[in-house]
Amino acid sequence: MFQPMKRILALLAATTMLSVGTGCKRGADSAAATTAPEALIFARGADAQKLDPADIDDGESVNSLTPVLEGLVRFRSGSGEIEPALAEAWTISDDGLVYTFTLRQGVTFHDGTPLNAETAVWSFLRQADENHPGHFKDAGFQYWSNLSGTVRDIVAMDDRTIRIRLTTPNAFLLEWFASFPAWLISPESLKAYGRDLVRHPVGTGPYSFTEWRPNEAITYERNPAYWGKKAGFARLVIRSIPDNTVRLLELKAGRIHGLDGVRAAELASLREDPRFTIYHSPGNNLGYLAYNLNIPRLQSTEVRQAIAMAIDRATMVKLSLEGYGVVPEFPLPPGYAGQKNAPAPAVHYDPDAARAILQRHPELLAEPIKIATFSAPRPFFPDPVKIASFIRSDLEKVGLKVEIITRDFDSHLNITRNGDFEIALLGWIGDSPSSDNFLSPLLASWGATKGMATNISFYKNPEFDQLLLAARTTTDSNQRELLYQQALALWARDLPLIPLAVGEQIVVLRSEIKGFELQPTGDLYFNGCWWQR
């Protein structure tokens, strides 16, 4: 969307001021200075919402915490395999009901608090125990609610040993402990900041949090006492620059060292420029159009199917992602469990059939369908407003009146979580490489609580829920495949959301920056990066 020139000049002026003192000289070749910059400066299209790992569900907040926080285990870089992190070892009982973790020795949080079993368990209990002083009443703890029915207790057995007992086996428990909701924060941060700890994360990671200026930048400093490999830059700055054009200009001017949220059409000029390296890989994400099933005129499955058939998803993805993404047939990235030997696609382009169905429902034609969208770029929607405009055009071709409502990303998340919309564009970036990590938050009833909904369709189907729970408890991959096939058949029948796009993950960095690797989860880690002339 066009930005007035006055606004663009103001943003450029502000970002220039921000770069002062970072070790980067101004000018087109500033990042290629003879000395390495002290700070790695990375820009994105939207700011974080909170910095509390237990109470976030957006990628920008997660990536604001990756420099600072860690869990007991983690995903090995570049893969979905689990490896030790703050726990150096673990065991699982034969019946899958008891997990025992042994912590590393000598690790401290950034505030000097020792990491031990008691301080680690504190982070989990603040999510599980409603009487815990850190269990804020206005926090959702949505991810913990997915586990609450299966965790019997979490206790410190001795100074270095944590025992977790389950009521039923959970095949994805280690993946959960590697994901951001299980990252540990210092108990002392509650004493120091109280409810405001959501703005002051204190972890054990290679960088410590310094400052958050909302909608401008978050800064971090290298942790000299880090237990693992020390960070390659003395400081890290993650800036928020909503305008795609300004963000790209800042990169080319040398005032930032990298960015994401770049549009595919903009990559051509970067690809030919030796100053930059483009990283891209298949995305672990899903962009979708959600129906609010609480809206009366959207409670007809036939109407939802008609709207889906009116959208030319293939052309939309081709134009918007330009080869850096695919059209998914299911509410999952391609290749995930449940899609093997799948029947004919549930969603297909047939505008004539859509028009015929909608003519049987004249009540839909009276008032415009309102599409809620957002302005910040995402891997699946590099230009969400453009996607909404494309959908509007297709729906108008079959006789619908359409109105687009665009908000900033934070406001959009707020209205979708609360169900204050009719149909909405949104997406999900997987926290782990499993079908459960998409189907559960997006379609299970436990994700449909107003105010903190991840299932923004508010789809509630007990049979669907039971299939997901059964898939969690089995260690038989063939059985899990069949259970997910049945769950996807229910989604295809009811169609509470339309999968639109799976976009590639794309990050652009200065070519002098080495050691960066894309992660299947979409999380951004700059801890291993260094500057090389």
PDB file of all heavy atoms in Angstrom, residues 72 90-93 97-103 117-118 120-121 124-125 151-158 160-166 173 177:
ATOM      1  N   LEU A  72      14.727 -26.916  28.311  1.00  0.00           N
ATOM      2  CA  LEU A  72      15.479 -28.085  28.752  1.00  0.00           C
ATOM      3  C   LEU A  72      16.127 -28.780  27.561  1.00  0.00           C
ATOM      4  O   LEU A  72      17.256 -29.274  27.634  1.00  0.00           O
ATOM      5  CB  LEU A  72      14.551 -29.065  29.476  1.00  0.00           C
ATOM      6  CG  LEU A  72      13.862 -28.541  30.749  1.00  0.00           C
ATOM      7  CD1 LEU A  72      12.949 -29.607  31.334  1.00  0.00           C
ATOM      8  CD2 LEU A  72      14.905 -28.100  31.780  1.00  0.00           C
ATOM      9  N   TRP A  90      18.249 -36.964  29.582  1.00  0.00           N
ATOM     10  CA  TRP A  90      16.900 -37.289  30.027  1.00  0.00           C
ATOM     11  C   TRP A  90      16.605 -38.758  29.768  1.00  0.00           C
ATOM     12  O   TRP A  90      17.242 -39.390  28.928  1.00  0.00           O
ATOM     13  CB  TRP A  90      15.853 -36.406  29.346  1.00  0.00           C
ATOM     14  CG  TRP A  90      15.760 -36.594  27.852  1.00  0.00           C
ATOM     15  CD1 TRP A  90      14.989 -37.478  27.158  1.00  0.00           C
ATOM     16  CD2 TRP A  90      16.513 -35.873  26.867  1.00  0.00           C
ATOM     17  NE1 TRP A  90      15.198 -37.362  25.807  1.00  0.00           N
ATOM     18  CE2 TRP A  90      16.135 -36.376  25.606  1.00  0.00           C
ATOM     19  CE3 TRP A  90      17.454 -34.846  26.931  1.00  0.00           C
ATOM     20  CZ2 TRP A  90      16.679 -35.889  24.424  1.00  0.00           C
ATOM     21  CZ3 TRP A  90      17.996 -34.370  25.752  1.00  0.00           C
ATOM     22  CH2 TRP A  90      17.600 -34.885  24.515  1.00  0.00           C
ATOM     23  N   THR A  91      15.629 -39.268  30.505  1.00  0.00           N
ATOM     24  CA  THR A  91      15.159 -40.632  30.309  1.00  0.00           C
ATOM     25  C   THR A  91      13.635 -40.623  30.253  1.00  0.00           C
ATOM     26  O   THR A  91      12.982 -39.729  30.808  1.00  0.00           O
ATOM     27  CB  THR A  91      15.611 -41.573  31.443  1.00  0.00           C
ATOM     28  OG1 THR A  91      15.077 -41.089  32.694  1.00  0.00           O
ATOM     29  CG2 THR A  91      17.129 -41.637  31.523  1.00  0.00           C
ATOM     30  N   ILE A  92      13.077 -41.622  29.557  1.00  0.00           N
ATOM     31  CA  ILE A  92      11.631 -41.792  29.452  1.00  0.00           C
ATOM     32  C   ILE A  92      11.298 -43.213  29.890  1.00  0.00           C
ATOM     33  O   ILE A  92      11.929 -44.177  29.424  1.00  0.00           O
ATOM     34  CB  ILE A  92      11.144 -41.560  28.011  1.00  0.00           C
ATOM     35  CG1 ILE A  92      11.608 -40.193  27.500  1.00  0.00           C
ATOM     36  CG2 ILE A  92       9.621 -41.655  27.931  1.00  0.00           C
ATOM     37  CD1 ILE A  92      11.336 -39.959  26.027  1.00  0.00           C
ATOM     38  N   SER A  93      10.344 -43.348  30.780  1.00  0.00           N
ATOM     39  CA  SER A  93       9.976 -44.678  31.266  1.00  0.00           C
ATOM     40  C   SER A  93       9.383 -45.524  30.144  1.00  0.00           C
ATOM     41  O   SER A  93       8.908 -45.001  29.135  1.00  0.00           O
ATOM     42  CB  SER A  93       8.977 -44.563  32.419  1.00  0.00           C
ATOM     43  OG  SER A  93       7.766 -43.968  31.970  1.00  0.00           O
ATOM     44  N   LEU A  97       5.183 -42.599  30.628  1.00  0.00           N
ATOM     45  CA  LEU A  97       4.475 -41.728  31.567  1.00  0.00           C
ATOM     46  C   LEU A  97       5.391 -40.923  32.483  1.00  0.00           C
ATOM     47  O   LEU A  97       4.915 -40.031  33.185  1.00  0.00           O
ATOM     48  CB  LEU A  97       3.523 -42.576  32.432  1.00  0.00           C
ATOM     49  CG  LEU A  97       2.362 -43.255  31.695  1.00  0.00           C
ATOM     50  CD1 LEU A  97       1.541 -44.102  32.660  1.00  0.00           C
ATOM     51  CD2 LEU A  97       1.480 -42.218  31.011  1.00  0.00           C
ATOM     52  N   VAL A  98       6.684 -41.217  32.488  1.00  0.00           N
ATOM     53  CA  VAL A  98       7.604 -40.499  33.369  1.00  0.00           C
ATOM     54  C   VAL A  98       8.815 -40.029  32.576  1.00  0.00           C
ATOM     55  O   VAL A  98       9.520 -40.845  31.958  1.00  0.00           O
ATOM     56  CB  VAL A  98       8.069 -41.378  34.550  1.00  0.00           C
ATOM     57  CG1 VAL A  98       9.005 -40.567  35.460  1.00  0.00           C
ATOM     58  CG2 VAL A  98       6.875 -41.894  35.347  1.00  0.00           C
ATOM     59  N   TYR A  99       9.045 -38.709  32.595  1.00  0.00           N
ATOM     60  CA  TYR A  99      10.219 -38.106  31.967  1.00  0.00           C
ATOM     61  C   TYR A  99      11.104 -37.547  33.073  1.00  0.00           C
ATOM     62  O   TYR A  99      10.627 -36.816  33.949  1.00  0.00           O
ATOM     63  CB  TYR A  99       9.811 -36.971  31.033  1.00  0.00           C
ATOM     64  CG  TYR A  99       9.157 -37.414  29.748  1.00  0.00           C
ATOM     65  CD1 TYR A  99       7.910 -38.053  29.748  1.00  0.00           C
ATOM     66  CD2 TYR A  99       9.773 -37.183  28.515  1.00  0.00           C
ATOM     67  CE1 TYR A  99       7.302 -38.455  28.564  1.00  0.00           C
ATOM     68  CE2 TYR A  99       9.181 -37.573  27.317  1.00  0.00           C
ATOM     69  CZ  TYR A  99       7.946 -38.210  27.360  1.00  0.00           C
ATOM     70  OH  TYR A  99       7.362 -38.613  26.185  1.00  0.00           O
ATOM     71  N   THR A 100      12.387 -37.877  33.024  1.00  0.00           N
ATOM     72  CA  THR A 100      13.325 -37.395  34.036  1.00  0.00           C
ATOM     73  C   THR A 100      14.460 -36.649  33.343  1.00  0.00           C
ATOM     74  O   THR A 100      15.145 -37.204  32.481  1.00  0.00           O
ATOM     75  CB  THR A 100      13.890 -38.561  34.868  1.00  0.00           C
ATOM     76  OG1 THR A 100      12.809 -39.322  35.427  1.00  0.00           O
ATOM     77  CG2 THR A 100      14.767 -38.035  35.990  1.00  0.00           C
ATOM     78  N   PHE A 101      14.644 -35.369  33.714  1.00  0.00           N
ATOM     79  CA  PHE A 101      15.656 -34.524  33.095  1.00  0.00           C
ATOM     80  C   PHE A 101      16.766 -34.222  34.104  1.00  0.00           C
ATOM     81  O   PHE A 101      16.486 -33.920  35.266  1.00  0.00           O
ATOM     82  CB  PHE A 101      15.049 -33.199  32.637  1.00  0.00           C
ATOM     83  CG  PHE A 101      14.062 -33.330  31.512  1.00  0.00           C
ATOM     84  CD1 PHE A 101      12.706 -33.507  31.775  1.00  0.00           C
ATOM     85  CD2 PHE A 101      14.485 -33.272  30.191  1.00  0.00           C
ATOM     86  CE1 PHE A 101      11.789 -33.618  30.738  1.00  0.00           C
ATOM     87  CE2 PHE A 101      13.578 -33.388  29.145  1.00  0.00           C
ATOM     88  CZ  PHE A 101      12.224 -33.566  29.419  1.00  0.00           C
ATOM     89  N   THR A 102      17.999 -34.285  33.632  1.00  0.00           N
ATOM     90  CA  THR A 102      19.158 -33.914  34.447  1.00  0.00           C
ATOM     91  C   THR A 102      19.734 -32.604  33.928  1.00  0.00           C
ATOM     92  O   THR A 102      20.132 -32.509  32.757  1.00  0.00           O
ATOM     93  CB  THR A 102      20.243 -35.004  34.389  1.00  0.00           C
ATOM     94  OG1 THR A 102      19.686 -36.249  34.837  1.00  0.00           O
ATOM     95  CG2 THR A 102      21.423 -34.636  35.273  1.00  0.00           C
ATOM     96  N   LEU A 103      19.783 -31.587  34.778  1.00  0.00           N
ATOM     97  CA  LEU A 103      20.210 -30.250  34.361  1.00  0.00           C
ATOM     98  C   LEU A 103      21.735 -30.132  34.267  1.00  0.00           C
ATOM     99  O   LEU A 103      22.469 -30.852  34.944  1.00  0.00           O
ATOM    100  CB  LEU A 103      19.702 -29.199  35.348  1.00  0.00           C
ATOM    101  CG  LEU A 103      18.183 -29.056  35.481  1.00  0.00           C
ATOM    102  CD1 LEU A 103      17.867 -28.018  36.547  1.00  0.00           C
ATOM    103  CD2 LEU A 103      17.555 -28.675  34.160  1.00  0.00           C
ATOM    104  N   ALA A 117      16.952 -27.359  39.672  1.00  0.00           N
ATOM    105  CA  ALA A 117      15.654 -27.989  39.443  1.00  0.00           C
ATOM    106  C   ALA A 117      14.515 -27.128  39.979  1.00  0.00           C
ATOM    107  O   ALA A 117      13.453 -27.010  39.355  1.00  0.00           O
ATOM    108  CB  ALA A 117      15.626 -29.375  40.081  1.00  0.00           C
ATOM    109  N   GLU A 118      14.730 -26.492  41.120  1.00  0.00           N
ATOM    110  CA  GLU A 118      13.672 -25.675  41.718  1.00  0.00           C
ATOM    111  C   GLU A 118      13.341 -24.462  40.857  1.00  0.00           C
ATOM    112  O   GLU A 118      12.164 -24.148  40.628  1.00  0.00           O
ATOM    113  CB  GLU A 118      14.100 -25.226  43.114  1.00  0.00           C
ATOM    114  CG  GLU A 118      13.032 -24.424  43.850  1.00  0.00           C
ATOM    115  CD  GLU A 118      13.480 -24.009  45.242  1.00  0.00           C
ATOM    116  OE1 GLU A 118      14.559 -24.455  45.681  1.00  0.00           O
ATOM    117  OE2 GLU A 118      12.737 -23.230  45.877  1.00  0.00           O
ATOM    118  N   ALA A 120      13.896 -24.122  37.677  1.00  0.00           N
ATOM    119  CA  ALA A 120      13.330 -24.568  36.400  1.00  0.00           C
ATOM    120  C   ALA A 120      11.864 -24.949  36.551  1.00  0.00           C
ATOM    121  O   ALA A 120      11.015 -24.553  35.733  1.00  0.00           O
ATOM    122  CB  ALA A 120      14.131 -25.754  35.856  1.00  0.00           C
ATOM    123  N   VAL A 121      11.545 -25.699  37.594  1.00  0.00           N
ATOM    124  CA  VAL A 121      10.163 -26.120  37.829  1.00  0.00           C
ATOM    125  C   VAL A 121       9.262 -24.903  38.023  1.00  0.00           C
ATOM    126  O   VAL A 121       8.092 -24.893  37.625  1.00  0.00           O
ATOM    127  CB  VAL A 121      10.086 -27.072  39.039  1.00  0.00           C
ATOM    128  CG1 VAL A 121       8.639 -27.283  39.472  1.00  0.00           C
ATOM    129  CG2 VAL A 121      10.726 -28.403  38.684  1.00  0.00           C
ATOM    130  N   PHE A 124       7.458 -23.794  34.935  1.00  0.00           N
ATOM    131  CA  PHE A 124       6.340 -24.635  34.507  1.00  0.00           C
ATOM    132  C   PHE A 124       5.132 -24.467  35.428  1.00  0.00           C
ATOM    133  O   PHE A 124       3.985 -24.413  34.977  1.00  0.00           O
ATOM    134  CB  PHE A 124       6.766 -26.103  34.471  1.00  0.00           C
ATOM    135  CG  PHE A 124       7.933 -26.354  33.558  1.00  0.00           C
ATOM    136  CD1 PHE A 124       9.058 -27.001  34.023  1.00  0.00           C
ATOM    137  CD2 PHE A 124       7.905 -25.929  32.240  1.00  0.00           C
ATOM    138  CE1 PHE A 124      10.142 -27.233  33.188  1.00  0.00           C
ATOM    139  CE2 PHE A 124       8.980 -26.153  31.400  1.00  0.00           C
ATOM    140  CZ  PHE A 124      10.108 -26.810  31.874  1.00  0.00           C
ATOM    141  N   LEU A 125       5.389 -24.356  36.727  1.00  0.00           N
ATOM    142  CA  LEU A 125       4.280 -24.259  37.671  1.00  0.00           C
ATOM    143  C   LEU A 125       3.521 -22.945  37.534  1.00  0.00           C
ATOM    144  O   LEU A 125       2.327 -22.882  37.830  1.00  0.00           O
ATOM    145  CB  LEU A 125       4.787 -24.429  39.109  1.00  0.00           C
ATOM    146  CG  LEU A 125       5.313 -25.821  39.471  1.00  0.00           C
ATOM    147  CD1 LEU A 125       5.680 -25.883  40.951  1.00  0.00           C
ATOM    148  CD2 LEU A 125       4.289 -26.898  39.132  1.00  0.00           C
ATOM    149  N   VAL A 151      -0.539 -33.835  32.041  1.00  0.00           N
ATOM    150  CA  VAL A 151       0.548 -33.713  33.008  1.00  0.00           C
ATOM    151  C   VAL A 151      -0.001 -33.895  34.422  1.00  0.00           C
ATOM    152  O   VAL A 151      -0.866 -33.143  34.867  1.00  0.00           O
ATOM    153  CB  VAL A 151       1.247 -32.347  32.882  1.00  0.00           C
ATOM    154  CG1 VAL A 151       2.316 -32.202  33.962  1.00  0.00           C
ATOM    155  CG2 VAL A 151       1.863 -32.189  31.503  1.00  0.00           C
ATOM    156  N   ARG A 152       0.505 -34.912  35.115  1.00  0.00           N
ATOM    157  CA  ARG A 152       0.071 -35.165  36.498  1.00  0.00           C
ATOM    158  C   ARG A 152       0.816 -34.251  37.460  1.00  0.00           C
ATOM    159  O   ARG A 152       0.214 -33.593  38.312  1.00  0.00           O
ATOM    160  CB  ARG A 152       0.320 -36.630  36.862  1.00  0.00           C
ATOM    161  CG  ARG A 152      -0.017 -36.962  38.322  1.00  0.00           C
ATOM    162  CD  ARG A 152       0.150 -38.441  38.598  1.00  0.00           C
ATOM    163  NE  ARG A 152      -0.810 -39.226  37.820  1.00  0.00           N
ATOM    164  CZ  ARG A 152      -0.820 -40.559  37.754  1.00  0.00           C
ATOM    165  NH1 ARG A 152       0.111 -41.250  38.406  1.00  0.00           N
ATOM    166  NH2 ARG A 152      -1.727 -41.189  37.047  1.00  0.00           N
ATOM    167  N   ASP A 153       2.131 -34.190  37.349  1.00  0.00           N
ATOM    168  CA  ASP A 153       2.898 -33.295  38.215  1.00  0.00           C
ATOM    169  C   ASP A 153       4.292 -33.082  37.638  1.00  0.00           C
ATOM    170  O   ASP A 153       4.781 -33.863  36.810  1.00  0.00           O
ATOM    171  CB  ASP A 153       2.985 -33.805  39.660  1.00  0.00           C
ATOM    172  CG  ASP A 153       3.585 -35.211  39.766  1.00  0.00           C
ATOM    173  OD1 ASP A 153       4.521 -35.516  39.008  1.00  0.00           O
ATOM    174  OD2 ASP A 153       3.117 -36.002  40.595  1.00  0.00           O
ATOM    175  N   ILE A 154       4.912 -31.978  38.067  1.00  0.00           N
ATOM    176  CA  ILE A 154       6.299 -31.654  37.723  1.00  0.00           C
ATOM    177  C   ILE A 154       6.985 -31.293  39.034  1.00  0.00           C
ATOM    178  O   ILE A 154       6.586 -30.339  39.704  1.00  0.00           O
ATOM    179  CB  ILE A 154       6.387 -30.471  36.739  1.00  0.00           C
ATOM    180  CG1 ILE A 154       5.614 -30.773  35.453  1.00  0.00           C
ATOM    181  CG2 ILE A 154       7.836 -30.152  36.412  1.00  0.00           C
ATOM    182  CD1 ILE A 154       5.629 -29.637  34.449  1.00  0.00           C
ATOM    183  N   VAL A 155       8.021 -32.066  39.401  1.00  0.00           N
ATOM    184  CA  VAL A 155       8.651 -31.852  40.706  1.00  0.00           C
ATOM    185  C   VAL A 155      10.167 -31.853  40.570  1.00  0.00           C
ATOM    186  O   VAL A 155      10.732 -32.468  39.658  1.00  0.00           O
ATOM    187  CB  VAL A 155       8.220 -32.923  41.733  1.00  0.00           C
ATOM    188  CG1 VAL A 155       6.727 -32.859  41.995  1.00  0.00           C
ATOM    189  CG2 VAL A 155       8.622 -34.318  41.258  1.00  0.00           C
ATOM    190  N   ALA A 156      10.821 -31.146  41.502  1.00  0.00           N
ATOM    191  CA  ALA A 156      12.276 -31.181  41.628  1.00  0.00           C
ATOM    192  C   ALA A 156      12.639 -32.333  42.550  1.00  0.00           C
ATOM    193  O   ALA A 156      12.293 -32.329  43.734  1.00  0.00           O
ATOM    194  CB  ALA A 156      12.786 -29.855  42.178  1.00  0.00           C
ATOM    195  N   MET A 157      13.345 -33.334  42.024  1.00  0.00           N
ATOM    196  CA  MET A 157      13.723 -34.500  42.815  1.00  0.00           C
ATOM    197  C   MET A 157      14.960 -34.221  43.660  1.00  0.00           C
ATOM    198  O   MET A 157      15.091 -34.704  44.784  1.00  0.00           O
ATOM    199  CB  MET A 157      13.978 -35.689  41.893  1.00  0.00           C
ATOM    200  CG  MET A 157      12.788 -36.046  41.009  1.00  0.00           C
ATOM    201  SD  MET A 157      11.327 -36.508  41.971  1.00  0.00           S
ATOM    202  CE  MET A 157      11.885 -38.077  42.669  1.00  0.00           C
ATOM    203  N   ASP A 158      15.888 -33.465  43.106  1.00  0.00           N
ATOM    204  CA  ASP A 158      17.053 -32.971  43.829  1.00  0.00           C
ATOM    205  C   ASP A 158      17.517 -31.717  43.108  1.00  0.00           C
ATOM    206  O   ASP A 158      16.783 -31.176  42.278  1.00  0.00           O
ATOM    207  CB  ASP A 158      18.160 -34.037  43.944  1.00  0.00           C
ATOM    208  CG  ASP A 158      18.639 -34.554  42.593  1.00  0.00           C
ATOM    209  OD1 ASP A 158      18.730 -33.753  41.638  1.00  0.00           O
ATOM    210  OD2 ASP A 158      18.920 -35.765  42.468  1.00  0.00           O
ATOM    211  N   ARG A 160      19.466 -31.084  40.712  1.00  0.00           N
ATOM    212  CA  ARG A 160      19.663 -31.122  39.264  1.00  0.00           C
ATOM    213  C   ARG A 160      18.667 -32.005  38.529  1.00  0.00           C
ATOM    214  O   ARG A 160      18.756 -32.144  37.306  1.00  0.00           O
ATOM    215  CB  ARG A 160      21.088 -31.626  38.944  1.00  0.00           C
ATOM    216  CG  ARG A 160      22.204 -30.714  39.386  1.00  0.00           C
ATOM    217  CD  ARG A 160      23.556 -31.309  39.002  1.00  0.00           C
ATOM    218  NE  ARG A 160      23.654 -31.562  37.568  1.00  0.00           N
ATOM    219  CZ  ARG A 160      24.434 -32.501  37.038  1.00  0.00           C
ATOM    220  NH1 ARG A 160      25.163 -33.286  37.814  1.00  0.00           N
ATOM    221  NH2 ARG A 160      24.477 -32.654  35.714  1.00  0.00           N
ATOM    222  N   THR A 161      17.698 -32.568  39.216  1.00  0.00           N
ATOM    223  CA  THR A 161      16.808 -33.551  38.583  1.00  0.00           C
ATOM    224  C   THR A 161      15.352 -33.096  38.631  1.00  0.00           C
ATOM    225  O   THR A 161      14.831 -32.746  39.692  1.00  0.00           O
ATOM    226  CB  THR A 161      16.933 -34.918  39.276  1.00  0.00           C
ATOM    227  OG1 THR A 161      18.312 -35.297  39.333  1.00  0.00           O
ATOM    228  CG2 THR A 161      16.144 -35.976  38.501  1.00  0.00           C
ATOM    229  N   ILE A 162      14.714 -33.134  37.471  1.00  0.00           N
ATOM    230  CA  ILE A 162      13.300 -32.789  37.339  1.00  0.00           C
ATOM    231  C   ILE A 162      12.544 -34.025  36.870  1.00  0.00           C
ATOM    232  O   ILE A 162      12.944 -34.674  35.895  1.00  0.00           O
ATOM    233  CB  ILE A 162      13.086 -31.655  36.316  1.00  0.00           C
ATOM    234  CG1 ILE A 162      13.812 -30.390  36.770  1.00  0.00           C
ATOM    235  CG2 ILE A 162      11.599 -31.362  36.104  1.00  0.00           C
ATOM    236  CD1 ILE A 162      13.834 -29.300  35.705  1.00  0.00           C
ATOM    237  N   ARG A 163      11.445 -34.322  37.539  1.00  0.00           N
ATOM    238  CA  ARG A 163      10.607 -35.458  37.126  1.00  0.00           C
ATOM    239  C   ARG A 163       9.242 -34.944  36.684  1.00  0.00           C
ATOM    240  O   ARG A 163       8.607 -34.140  37.382  1.00  0.00           O
ATOM    241  CB  ARG A 163      10.413 -36.444  38.281  1.00  0.00           C
ATOM    242  CG  ARG A 163       9.669 -37.721  37.873  1.00  0.00           C
ATOM    243  CD  ARG A 163       9.181 -38.482  39.076  1.00  0.00           C
ATOM    244  NE  ARG A 163       8.115 -37.747  39.759  1.00  0.00           N
ATOM    245  CZ  ARG A 163       7.669 -38.040  40.989  1.00  0.00           C
ATOM    246  NH1 ARG A 163       8.224 -39.025  41.681  1.00  0.00           N
ATOM    247  NH2 ARG A 163       6.693 -37.332  41.539  1.00  0.00           N
ATOM    248  N   ILE A 164       8.809 -35.413  35.528  1.00  0.00           N
ATOM    249  CA  ILE A 164       7.503 -35.043  34.990  1.00  0.00           C
ATOM    250  C   ILE A 164       6.700 -36.320  34.804  1.00  0.00           C
ATOM    251  O   ILE A 164       7.123 -37.228  34.068  1.00  0.00           O
ATOM    252  CB  ILE A 164       7.643 -34.305  33.643  1.00  0.00           C
ATOM    253  CG1 ILE A 164       8.467 -33.025  33.851  1.00  0.00           C
ATOM    254  CG2 ILE A 164       6.278 -33.981  33.053  1.00  0.00           C
ATOM    255  CD1 ILE A 164       8.988 -32.427  32.586  1.00  0.00           C
ATOM    256  N   ARG A 165       5.553 -36.396  35.465  1.00  0.00           N
ATOM    257  CA  ARG A 165       4.688 -37.573  35.331  1.00  0.00           C
ATOM    258  C   ARG A 165       3.438 -37.195  34.544  1.00  0.00           C
ATOM    259  O   ARG A 165       2.855 -36.125  34.758  1.00  0.00           O
ATOM    260  CB  ARG A 165       4.294 -38.106  36.710  1.00  0.00           C
ATOM    261  CG  ARG A 165       5.461 -38.695  37.498  1.00  0.00           C
ATOM    262  CD  ARG A 165       4.976 -39.493  38.688  1.00  0.00           C
ATOM    263  NE  ARG A 165       4.185 -38.680  39.606  1.00  0.00           N
ATOM    264  CZ  ARG A 165       3.495 -39.157  40.631  1.00  0.00           C
ATOM    265  NH1 ARG A 165       3.497 -40.461  40.874  1.00  0.00           N
ATOM    266  NH2 ARG A 165       2.817 -38.344  41.425  1.00  0.00           N
ATOM    267  N   LEU A 166       3.029 -38.083  33.648  1.00  0.00           N
ATOM    268  CA  LEU A 166       1.868 -37.862  32.807  1.00  0.00           C
ATOM    269  C   LEU A 166       0.739 -38.802  33.189  1.00  0.00           C
ATOM    270  O   LEU A 166       0.964 -39.875  33.769  1.00  0.00           O
ATOM    271  CB  LEU A 166       2.232 -38.095  31.332  1.00  0.00           C
ATOM    272  CG  LEU A 166       3.452 -37.358  30.772  1.00  0.00           C
ATOM    273  CD1 LEU A 166       3.642 -37.712  29.301  1.00  0.00           C
ATOM    274  CD2 LEU A 166       3.315 -35.863  30.954  1.00  0.00           C
ATOM    275  N   LEU A 173       5.707 -34.723  23.564  1.00  0.00           N
ATOM    276  CA  LEU A 173       6.100 -33.974  24.757  1.00  0.00           C
ATOM    277  C   LEU A 173       7.484 -33.348  24.611  1.00  0.00           C
ATOM    278  O   LEU A 173       7.682 -32.183  24.974  1.00  0.00           O
ATOM    279  CB  LEU A 173       6.067 -34.869  25.990  1.00  0.00           C
ATOM    280  CG  LEU A 173       6.243 -34.092  27.309  1.00  0.00           C
ATOM    281  CD1 LEU A 173       5.031 -33.214  27.574  1.00  0.00           C
ATOM    282  CD2 LEU A 173       6.481 -35.035  28.479  1.00  0.00           C
ATOM    283  N   PHE A 177       8.663 -29.389  24.937  1.00  0.00           N
ATOM    284  CA  PHE A 177       9.705 -28.854  25.801  1.00  0.00           C
ATOM    285  C   PHE A 177      10.804 -28.142  25.018  1.00  0.00           C
ATOM    286  O   PHE A 177      11.546 -27.339  25.579  1.00  0.00           O
ATOM    287  CB  PHE A 177      10.303 -29.966  26.667  1.00  0.00           C
ATOM    288  CG  PHE A 177       9.516 -30.217  27.916  1.00  0.00           C
ATOM    289  CD1 PHE A 177       8.653 -31.298  28.017  1.00  0.00           C
ATOM    290  CD2 PHE A 177       9.607 -29.354  28.988  1.00  0.00           C
ATOM    291  CE1 PHE A 177       7.904 -31.518  29.155  1.00  0.00           C
ATOM    292  CE2 PHE A 177       8.859 -29.565  30.146  1.00  0.00           C
ATOM    293  CZ  PHE A 177       8.006 -30.646  30.227  1.00  0.00           C
TER     294      PHE A 177
END
